Amino acid sequence: AKAAGGARWALFDADRNRRELARYALSAAIPTALDRGEFYLDYQPLTSLRDGRVLGMEALVRWRHPELGVLRPDSFIGLAEETGLIVRLGGWVLAEACREAEGWSAGHDDPPFVSVNLAVRQVHRPGLVQEVRGVLRQTGLPPDRLQLEITESTMMSTAEEPVRALRVLADQGVRIAIDDFGTGYCNLAYLRDLPVTELKVAGEFVAGLRAPAADPGSRTDERILASLVSLAHALDLTVTAEGVETAEQADRLRAIGCDAGQGWHFGRPAPADRFLAQWA
Ligand code: C2E
Ligand code: CA
Ligand code: CA
């Protein structure tokens, strides 16, 4: 029995090694894939809960891999962060998102902003301010039509450089959103130090929202959400709820005072034209 167990373990180990190798091979292929134009962006609308207007669109990166098909970011972003390749990939995402967003203004008085995810490494890199400024200059996108999404863990370190950089960008009108708010470490000091303009509340709080009578347990999620909305509004921040999948959730969020929603209920990630056509 012991020997069999050992064999099973060896098998499992070989399997895990193979998966690790595959992961690294995938990551190592990122620079070539960038050169070959295999990455593209889908967008997902951030929709006003007051009037249904599309306020902004989040850029979500996809990889059209020649052998593996279209890959979702979860299968390559983590590794790109570990290896540092995220700096190049993220740079491409930023430039491409701003380039596309500049084109959204045609025929719109109040075109949506574009919201770009920044990895920890990108924010902690010395050249961030120059990079963002350079992209805005080259694409001609006004600074207030760019939102940068950073996670709470980005602000975990006590480094002053990222705070300084984000403040310089915010002073020029760039929007700063805290992504997945409520799931990180509960240290809110960064809200005092950072020029944040928006909180994006993680979908897990939204998932529990139901009509009050239907599920008493959902009251806890609703109370947490209501508290986050009060906190945000007291600090003059807007709140976007993520992962809104049903009309009922959107109704509850509106009742709580949440400003905007993002999720399948408002639109699944798709090429920007899909949403631009809706407004025309
Ligand atoms: P995120 O920033 O929290 O992005 C939202 C994710 O939730 C997206 O997954 C989106 O497709 C998914 N989603 C949207 N609406 C719903 C809904 O109603 N229900 C559910 N269950 N899910 C919904 P996606 O596109 O696979 O992206 C996953 C993560 O990858 C993102 O999470 C973000 O952290 C990361 N990511 C995506 N693009 C980039 C990028 O360009 N740079 C960096 N650093 N990270 C990125
Ligand atoms: Ca995000
Ligand atoms: Ca998020």
Side-chain angles (χ1 to χ4, degrees):
K2 213 171 183 186
R8 254 201 310 278
W9 175 249
L11 252 178
F12 168 74
D13 229 36
D15 226 45
R16 204 172 65 174
N17 277 340
R18 209 166 29 234
R19 270 205 309 273
E20 274 300 288
L21 273 175
R23 249 162 55 88
Y24 275 94
L26 197 59
S27 162
I30 288 177
T32 319
L34 275 167
D35 292 340
R36 292 184 183 155
E38 291 173 9
F39 292 97
Y40 68 95
L41 300 178
D42 270 345
Y43 293 88
Q44 189 175 34
L46 282 68
T47 305
S48 164
L49 287 167
R50 254 170 244 116
D51 56 16
R53 226 163 44 87
V54 174
L55 304 173
M57 300 219 280
E58 179 175 0
L60 296 162
V61 67
R62 275 89 179 90
W63 181 352
R64 195 176 287 110
H65 193 281
E67 280 123 47
L68 303 172
V70 173
L71 301 178
R72 300 268 307 270
D74 288 334
S75 59
F76 58 87
I77 288 285
L79 205 64
E81 292 201 32
E82 282 170 45
T83 58
L85 284 168
I86 191 69
V87 172
R88 269 189 70 186
L89 179 57
W92 178 84
V93 170
L94 177 72
E96 175 65 11
C98 290
R99 189 188 67 76
E100 290 194 55
E102 200 281 324
W104 302 342
S105 41
H108 296 283
D109 307 334
D110 195 8
F113 59 83
V114 68
S115 202
V116 176
N117 292 286
L118 284 193
V120 178
R121 285 218 196 213
Q122 286 176 278
V123 182
H124 285 253
R125 199 176 145 254
L128 178 71
V129 172
Q130 287 86 323
E131 182 177 11
V132 174
R133 273 194 189 144
V135 165
L136 292 174
R137 191 163 354 98
Q138 277 155 32
T139 59
L141 186 74
D144 65 352
R145 292 207 27 234
L146 173 64
Q147 173 164 282
L148 302 174
E149 297 195 7
I150 59 176
T151 59
E152 289 172 284
S153 51
T154 308
M155 303 325 298
M156 275 282 291
S157 89
T158 50
E160 283 170 26
E161 180 57 23
V163 174
R164 201 194 58 79
L166 291 171
R167 198 170 286 138
V168 169
L169 293 172
D171 282 345
Q172 299 182 354
V174 174
R175 303 160 188 254
I176 312 283
I178 304 295
D179 200 2
D180 303 330
F181 186 72
T183 60
Y185 295 87
C186 202
N187 171 359
L188 298 178
Y190 66 82
L191 287 182
R192 182 193 57 206
D193 302 332
L194 269 189
V196 176
T197 44
E198 165 157 307
L199 300 183
K200 296 191 74 182
V201 178
E204 64 192 68
F205 297 110
V206 177
L209 281 190
R210 270 171 216 97
D215 175 10
S218 74
R219 298 290 297 169
T220 307
D221 280 328
E222 182 151 342
R223 284 182 188 141
I224 291 175
L225 277 166
S227 313
L228 295 180
V229 170
S230 327
L231 169 70
H233 287 173
L235 297 172
D236 273 331
L237 312 177
T238 57
V239 191
T240 296
E242 300 187 286
V244 184
E245 296 184 354
T246 68
E248 191 169 33
Q249 289 169 347
D251 287 342
R252 302 305 307 158
L253 288 164
R254 191 178 301 109
I256 289 168
C258 197
D259 303 286
Q262 178 180 0
W264 299 342
H265 171 66
F266 300 103
R268 298 212 177 209
D273 318 355
R274 163 99 45 101
F275 306 109
L276 294 171
Q278 273 177 20
W279 308 324

